[in-house]
Amino acid sequence: GIDSRILPQSRNPAGIASKALFFCDLLRDARISLKELKRFRPSAVLAMGSFNCVAPSIAAKLLGIPLFLHDGNARVGKANRLLSRFAEKLFLSFPPANPETIKCMTSLVGMPLRKELISSGILPRKDAIEALNSKFSAKFSEDATTVFVFGGSQGALSLNSVLPKALLQSSAKRKIQVMHLCGFNNSEMVQKNYAPANFPLLILDSSPEMHLFYSTADLAVCRSGGSTIAELAFFAKSAILIPYPHAAENHQYDNACHYASSSAAAILMDQELKTGQIQKILDELLDNPAALSAKGIQGSRLAMPEASKALLYEISNTLKTKYLRTEKAR
């Protein structure tokens, strides 16, 4: 129900040739953005980061429309660093790892969460387990430690390869059950990797009902994108964070450090997965299931579930203040 326009895809400005092509895309998209902003006449423009936001932001500046930015990672990205020179304010999901690069006012509001997660909320573990068993014919129980593995569509490969072996070894000494979201077209391979498993296991490509998985989990093993960190904090989950190694400027490592600062997470680099380090960390955490809950509660202190409301309130308040200043000057 929200009026929207979709710009043509811009090419990633990585490499000399790509930068030239991106500049051509930028001119095209800026022209389209100018037309659409003149038609829509917004009170403000909010850019959420990445090179795709540059053209609409430039168009807003040319038309004198107040520009606001939001960054979803602890390390503020290149586009937001550039655009901060022209912005009213940059909203942060996490305390910035590179604050010296920001050229405008900032405000820490958190990472906006999908409304489905917030509205569904944190379920009692018993209810979440019953829902998973019913929906997916799983055989989970309340008395087993539940490990939730997921890697995202681009970052699942190494997790899909290494985690099954590590969890199979852990299950020889402990009562565990595993939920594994493996990414599209990977389920057959992951099923084979778990073939010897004698513990309850649910393998899916993905699921829109993440609240059920988070509410069931005792321990998450995952990447450390901005949304994932915000969700872990909201659901108060202990985690083993494995930053995606190809993320721009290694920003997932900075996200992981932020969550680990609460003592809720251990950090393991992707290249360390094959060295047996994951087995050592898993064993330490699974040996003390009661401590996992306490660690998750530590992480929940970083949660900012009202991020969307806070961001919109600050935009509105800034515009009102600027309008009053302008009226007084007149």
Side-chain angles (χ1 to χ4, degrees), residues 2-326:
I2 299 174
D3 186 23
S4 63
R5 295 292 184 274
I6 299 175
L7 295 180
Q9 178 76 33
S10 293
R11 279 161 283 203
N12 193 327
I16 297 175
S18 296
K19 282 182 172 63
L21 293 171
F22 170 73
F23 185 72
C24 294
D25 292 343
L26 181 65
L27 293 176
R28 175 200 63 198
D29 292 346
R31 184 174 65 253
I32 298 172
S33 297
L34 281 167
K35 177 183 176 182
E36 294 298 337
L37 289 175
K38 287 178 180 178
R39 179 191 67 84
F40 185 63
R41 304 180 71 86
S43 300
V45 165
L46 172 63
M48 305 293 286
S50 95
F51 58 88
N52 286 300
C53 77
V54 175
S57 300
I58 290 175
K61 181 65 178 176
L62 291 173
L63 293 173
I65 301 170
L67 174 65
F68 296 86
L69 309 172
H70 180 275
D71 205 289
N73 295 294
R75 181 165 293 276
V76 176
K78 291 180 181 178
N80 276 340
R81 299 199 299 259
L82 169 67
L83 294 170
S84 68
R85 299 173 184 276
F86 317 114
E88 300 287 331
K89 187 174 288 188
L90 168 61
F91 299 109
L92 302 166
S93 296
F94 315 110
N98 53 343
E100 72 285 352
T101 65
I102 304 168
K103 307 303 181 184
C104 65
M105 293 178 62
T106 63
S107 179
L108 180 62
V109 298
M111 180 72 170
L113 295 174
R114 289 178 290 127
K115 67 176 183 179
E116 294 83 2
L117 279 179
I118 296 177
S119 61
S120 299
I122 305 168
L123 297 178
R125 189 166 184 268
K126 178 182 178 181
D127 294 347
I129 288 174
E130 288 178 355
L132 286 175
N133 288 342
S134 174
K135 287 177 178 291
F136 303 108
S137 300
K139 298 179 180 179
F140 293 147
S141 63
E142 290 185 67
D143 61 340
T145 303
T146 307
V147 182
F148 180 26
V149 182
F150 61 103
S153 58
Q154 299 299 318
L157 181 60
S158 56
L159 301 188
N160 290 344
S161 302
V162 177
L163 262 298
K165 180 179 179 181
L167 290 167
L168 286 168
Q169 292 179 5
S170 291
S171 68
K173 303 176 184 178
R174 303 165 191 87
K175 188 173 183 179
I176 68 169
Q177 53 199 15
V178 175
M179 308 175 295
H180 193 134
L181 303 185
C182 60
F184 292 105
N185 301 318
N186 294 323
S187 57
E188 184 176 347
M189 177 194 74
V190 176
Q191 290 280 4
K192 290 180 181 178
N193 291 342
Y194 279 111
N198 59 358
F199 50 80
L201 175 65
L202 175 60
I203 300 171
L204 298 172
D205 289 351
S206 65
S207 174
E209 298 179 290
M210 289 292 284
H211 67 288
L212 295 179
F213 294 88
Y214 279 124
S215 296
T216 298
D218 295 298
L219 174 68
V221 184
C222 53
R223 298 302 190 185
S224 49
S227 294
T228 296
I229 297 300
E231 290 168 7
L232 289 170
F234 178 69
F235 285 93
K237 294 302 164 184
S238 175
I240 299 174
L241 298 175
I242 305 165
Y244 181 52
H246 306 297
E249 299 183 295
N250 203 24
H251 67 255
Q252 285 205 6
Y253 176 73
D254 296 299
N255 296 344
C257 288
H258 170 66
Y259 198 58
S261 69
S262 70
S263 301
I267 301 174
L268 183 67
M269 303 309 290
D270 197 78
Q271 61 268 27
E272 296 177 304
L273 272 177
K274 298 178 182 179
T275 67
Q277 283 293 99
I278 186 66
Q279 190 66 58
K280 179 181 177 182
I281 296 173
L282 271 174
D283 288 345
E284 289 176 356
L285 292 172
L286 295 177
D287 275 342
N288 193 352
L292 293 177
S293 178
K295 288 176 178 291
I297 291 172
Q298 291 288 97
S300 71
R301 296 175 181 175
L302 301 179
M304 302 182 75
E306 299 294 318
S308 295
K309 290 181 180 179
L311 187 155
L312 292 172
Y313 172 81
E314 289 212 26
I315 289 177
S316 177
N317 194 50
T318 301
L319 293 178
K320 288 177 182 176
T321 303
K322 188 173 184 178
Y323 176 78
L324 288 173
R325 286 201 305 264
T326 304

